[in-house]
Amino acid sequence: MTEPTTMSDQPAEDTPATEASDRPTEAQPTAEKTADGKAADATATEDKPETDPFGKFAPEAVRPPGRLRRMAVGLGRALVHEWTLAALASLVIAAAMTWPALEYPLYTIPKDIWDPTLQAWQMAWAGHAATTNPLGIWDSNTFYPEPYSYAFSDTLLGYFPAGLLGTGPGAALLRYNIVFVLAFALAFFGAYALARQLGSRIPGAAVAGAAFAYAPWRWEQAGHLHVLSSGGIALCLAMLARGHGYSLRHGYRPEFRRPGWALAGWLVAAWQISLGFGIGLPFAYVLAGIAVVGVIAYASARLFFWSEPKPFGWKLLGADALGGLIFAAVGALMAIPYFKVLELHPYAERSIEEVNWYSPPIIGFFTAPDTDVMWGDAHAVARQTMFGQWGSGEKTLLIGFAVYGLAAAGLVYSTWRWWQRVLLAFGVVVSAGLAMGTQFLDGKVYEILYDHLPGWSAIRTPGRLVIWTTLFVGLLAAGAISAFGDRARDLTRERVPARPHVVLTLAMFLPMVLVLAEGLQRMDFPTVPQRPAALAQLSGPAMILPSNQLNDENVMLWSTDGFVRMVNGGSGFTPRSQDELRKLMENFPDQASVDALKAIGVREVLVLKHPSYGDVPQNALTADGQQFGLTREDLGDGIIFHLTP
């Protein structure tokens, strides 16, 4: 006699129900009565294991890790990942190489108190405008009443998120010093990432990063944050190469294509160009050249080679198209105010004579700035011979003798293929020639670019193109060191364990130490003059005297507490209206200067008793200005003259 089946014992669909109910199966056990009339479950008796007296000694089953444990394991792996360690090393090296930038960041500033204070104002203004009037960001509080005054020089607009934090001169200085250090860290990390993506071993990539971030020539640019902020260039190229599955060592590997990385590379490129066109414009032309080569390669593969895999794939092609459009849009939006400035002030375009003044001779690539610890004093005669009493300017372009030697070795012995070395060497020659400006081939090449390449005439200092020379030289050096690393691996393959001895591993980083040693600096970190208390009493539009390029740069920094509108301003371009007004202010207060100020709507004139630079108008210290309709107010560190509208 069988008992009724349960839901779990129902027959399968391919078995008739009558057959399933007529005979017992494995899924339909029977129950028989024992002699005393009780039912026994035969199946349960068969499946029940016998008690094992030694079972208590068996190991417990491994339990799957909980959520917290999985998170801890993931965090631990992230902390010891190569890119995390490389980023941390970049920050530590940057803090050490730029010290004492972070010792007194609220009071001091790198290099000098002029251009750096202007750039500290630029970041502060970008943050202020982003939260108050984003559409009016190009009409800054300086150079009143000139429009598009924020576009009178490279803007560092990409750093505007930093400008959202804090207000006033102290916050502006702290912000600048932190970004100054981070710019070096990003340059090291970006070049390191590019060399690694191209196939370099870690010591070789470290040399490329050290050369790109701490070449001696960079310390001559320590007052130009927009030039130091070149790390996005290398990082963008690394991301694009990774996204397209390309490296020098392995070539094109479509299985490693990552559209997300390609899009990220374009976004980094857009951020880089938002920092300024001084180094951003040549970068844009390099990307355009890469894009043209990529389009040709894609079209050729589609037309002539139909075999799989396809050269890009639709996802990667879409990422490139979207990223390229974003990059082009950012570049176009950034260019509009500069074209407006050129339209309003045609004389703002750099003349070829000015370019010639800043063009370095070839000896500049072997001359260090005076701030370099290792070579600064030794190259004093070379600097004097080249530049005379006017100083070295932007012409000391030494990348480093250690990296020069490693790059020369990389031409002969390298991980890179012979044709790749030829291309890198070609890049060195071309970029160095362009960096020489009119000093290369009698200026014929540079003048062609100056006359026919859009925007090229705005590049006043061709020596800054040494950024590209440094990158190519660093990659050649990375190839040589990687080849030595490959050889060391082969020699130790039979060793147990099969890896180089720790001494040999440490020795592989000796070239990086030599490159960093050549980049040690002894730069000044002067204390920035404190904001005059009288400045807080201005409601604007105002004029602060004395007005000149250098003193106005300090005044711009002081104005970050409130951003009062003022005629003052210092930048890479000075409108003629400001030059004319500055000359009139030498005799302030008199009828001509007062009439000129009233004509443009100035309501107050602040005369600083202790300016950072320049001479105080002597008339202003004693005159009351009543005969010109002025009201004088003496506030201790300054005198305010109120103008009647």
Side-chain angles (χ1 to χ4, degrees):
M1 178 179 176
T2 60
E3 293 187 359
T5 57
T6 62
M7 291 298 293
S8 61
D9 295 325
Q10 291 295 329
E13 293 181 359
D14 57 349
T15 305
T18 56
E19 296 179 4
S21 61
D22 291 340
R23 65 176 182 268
T25 62
E26 293 180 359
Q28 191 177 9
T30 61
E32 298 180 354
K33 288 187 177 181
T34 61
D36 56 0
K38 295 183 179 180
D41 192 338
T43 304
T45 303
E46 293 176 0
D47 293 342
K48 184 177 180 180
E50 296 183 3
T51 303
D52 183 1
F54 297 98
K56 64 178 67 176
F57 298 102
E60 294 184 2
V62 178
R63 297 180 180 179
R67 180 178 299 178
L68 292 178
R69 186 177 178 184
R70 292 197 303 270
M71 292 176 60
V73 171
L75 180 60
R77 290 176 178 175
L79 291 177
V80 298
H81 195 279
E82 177 187 346
W83 298 119
T84 303
L85 297 177
L88 293 176
S90 300
L91 292 172
V92 171
I93 294 173
M97 293 292 289
T98 59
W99 190 260
L102 298 179
E103 186 176 14
Y104 303 107
L106 291 171
Y107 309 101
T108 63
I109 204 164
K111 185 68 173 176
D112 55 51
I113 61 172
W114 313 123
D115 283 358
T117 57
L118 158 65
Q119 295 183 321
W121 167 84
Q122 287 176 324
M123 285 190 285
W125 170 256
H128 171 76
T131 56
T132 57
N133 185 18
L135 297 179
I137 189 172
W138 298 105
D139 298 323
S140 74
N141 68 308
T142 60
F143 292 98
Y144 176 85
E146 292 287 346
Y148 303 104
S149 55
Y150 193 49
F152 284 177
S153 61
D154 280 339
T155 62
L156 297 175
L157 182 58
Y159 287 135
F160 84 89
L164 300 175
L165 305 176
T167 59
L173 290 178
L174 176 62
R175 183 185 307 120
Y176 181 91
N177 281 295
I178 292 175
V179 173
F180 177 81
V181 175
L182 291 179
F184 284 92
L186 182 59
F188 183 99
F189 182 81
Y192 176 90
L194 177 60
R196 286 290 283 155
Q197 172 60 32
L198 295 180
S200 170
R201 287 185 169 273
I202 291 177
V207 166
F212 192 67
Y214 302 105
W217 68 264
R218 286 176 64 88
W219 299 109
E220 185 63 40
Q221 301 289 342
H224 302 138
L225 186 58
H226 58 293
V227 180
L228 298 178
S229 300
S230 57
I233 293 176
L235 186 60
C236 159
L237 296 176
M239 289 180 168
L240 289 176
R242 184 175 181 84
H244 291 80
Y246 180 79
S247 69
L248 293 180
R249 183 187 284 260
H250 303 290
Y252 172 61
R253 294 184 291 177
E255 65 272 17
F256 288 99
R257 293 179 304 198
R258 298 292 185 272
W261 278 107
L263 179 60
W266 284 109
L267 295 179
V268 171
W271 172 78
Q272 176 68 57
I273 204 169
S274 72
L275 298 177
F277 287 108
I279 63 173
L281 184 64
F283 174 51
Y285 279 116
V286 169
L287 286 183
I290 294 174
V292 169
V293 172
V295 169
I296 294 174
Y298 180 83
S300 300
R302 286 287 182 179
L303 292 175
F304 304 110
F305 304 100
W306 293 94
S307 60
E308 294 290 344
K310 299 302 183 185
F312 285 85
W314 290 112
K315 289 184 179 180
L316 183 56
L317 190 62
D320 282 332
L322 177 61
L325 287 175
I326 294 174
F327 174 75
V330 171
L333 292 174
M334 287 285 297
I336 289 174
Y338 288 93
F339 283 121
K340 289 290 186 179
V341 170
L342 193 60
E343 179 183 342
L344 294 172
H345 311 280
Y347 52 89
E349 186 174 17
R350 309 298 186 184
S351 65
I352 195 66
E353 290 77 15
E354 188 175 5
V355 173
N356 182 63
W357 171 256
Y358 286 100
S359 296
I362 192 170
I363 194 177
F365 291 96
F366 303 95
T367 306
D370 56 358
T371 57
D372 190 72
V373 171
M374 185 173 291
W375 304 114
D377 294 336
H379 293 175
V381 176
R383 290 192 300 271
Q384 185 70 19
T385 301
M386 284 190 295
F387 315 120
Q389 62 177 339
W390 298 107
S392 59
E394 308 244 8
K395 301 180 182 181
T396 51
L397 304 181
L398 177 66
I399 299 174
F401 293 108
V403 74
Y404 283 161
L406 292 169
L411 291 173
V412 181
Y413 183 68
S414 177
T415 292
W416 317 135
R417 297 177 178 87
W418 68 268
W419 61 269
Q420 294 169 341
R421 285 175 259 164
V422 170
L423 287 179
L424 288 174
F426 180 74
V428 170
V429 173
V430 171
S431 59
L434 293 178
M436 292 174 62
T438 58
Q439 297 294 320
F440 180 67
L441 298 178
D442 295 328
K444 296 178 181 178
V445 175
Y446 200 89
E447 288 179 8
I448 291 175
L449 300 178
Y450 180 90
D451 293 332
H452 301 288
L453 207 58
W456 202 266
S457 59
I459 300 178
R460 178 183 64 174
T461 51
R464 294 173 181 175
L465 293 173
V466 72
I467 288 173
W468 295 96
T469 313
T470 307
L471 188 59
F472 291 133
V473 167
L475 291 177
L476 280 172
I481 296 173
S482 297
F484 285 116
D486 294 341
R487 181 59 176 164
R489 178 200 59 189
D490 295 338
L491 292 176
T492 58
R493 183 164 294 174
E494 302 300 327
R495 186 174 178 268
V496 179
R499 60 173 179 264
H501 192 276
V502 64
V503 175
L504 180 59
T505 301
L506 293 176
M508 293 294 294
F509 288 92
L510 181 59
M512 182 195 72
V513 175
L514 294 176
V515 172
L516 291 176
E518 284 194 281
L520 290 174
Q521 52 79 33
R522 53 187 177 192
M523 190 172 54
D524 292 333
F525 289 83
T527 300
V528 178
Q530 292 293 307
R531 177 175 180 260
L535 198 64
Q537 306 302 316
L538 298 179
S539 57
M543 177 83 180
I544 293 92
L545 298 179
S547 177
N548 53 68
Q549 172 72 18
L550 298 183
N551 192 67
D552 280 4
E553 289 177 339
N554 280 185
V555 171
M556 295 168 79
L557 173 66
W558 297 333
S559 75
T560 56
D561 190 2
F563 292 96
V564 62
R565 288 185 298 169
M566 58 187 184
V567 179
N568 302 73
S571 70
F573 160 70
T574 303
R576 288 176 179 171
S577 59
Q578 189 183 58
D579 274 338
E580 295 171 356
L581 191 59
R582 282 173 174 173
K583 291 179 181 179
L584 288 175
M585 292 301 105
E586 293 176 358
N587 297 317
F588 179 86
D590 63 357
Q591 195 64 55
S593 61
V594 172
D595 290 345
L597 292 172
K598 288 184 177 181
I600 61 175
V602 172
R603 303 290 300 273
E604 299 154 317
V605 176
L606 170 61
V607 180
L608 299 176
K609 295 182 179 180
H610 307 288
S612 301
Y613 184 85
D615 298 326
V616 181
Q618 293 301 311
N619 291 344
L621 295 177
T622 56
D624 56 20
Q626 292 183 0
Q627 66 270 37
F628 308 113
L630 306 179
T631 303
R632 177 187 172 114
E633 182 181 6
D634 198 325
L635 297 174
D637 54 7
I639 303 169
I640 296 180
F641 290 90
H642 299 274
L643 281 68
T644 303

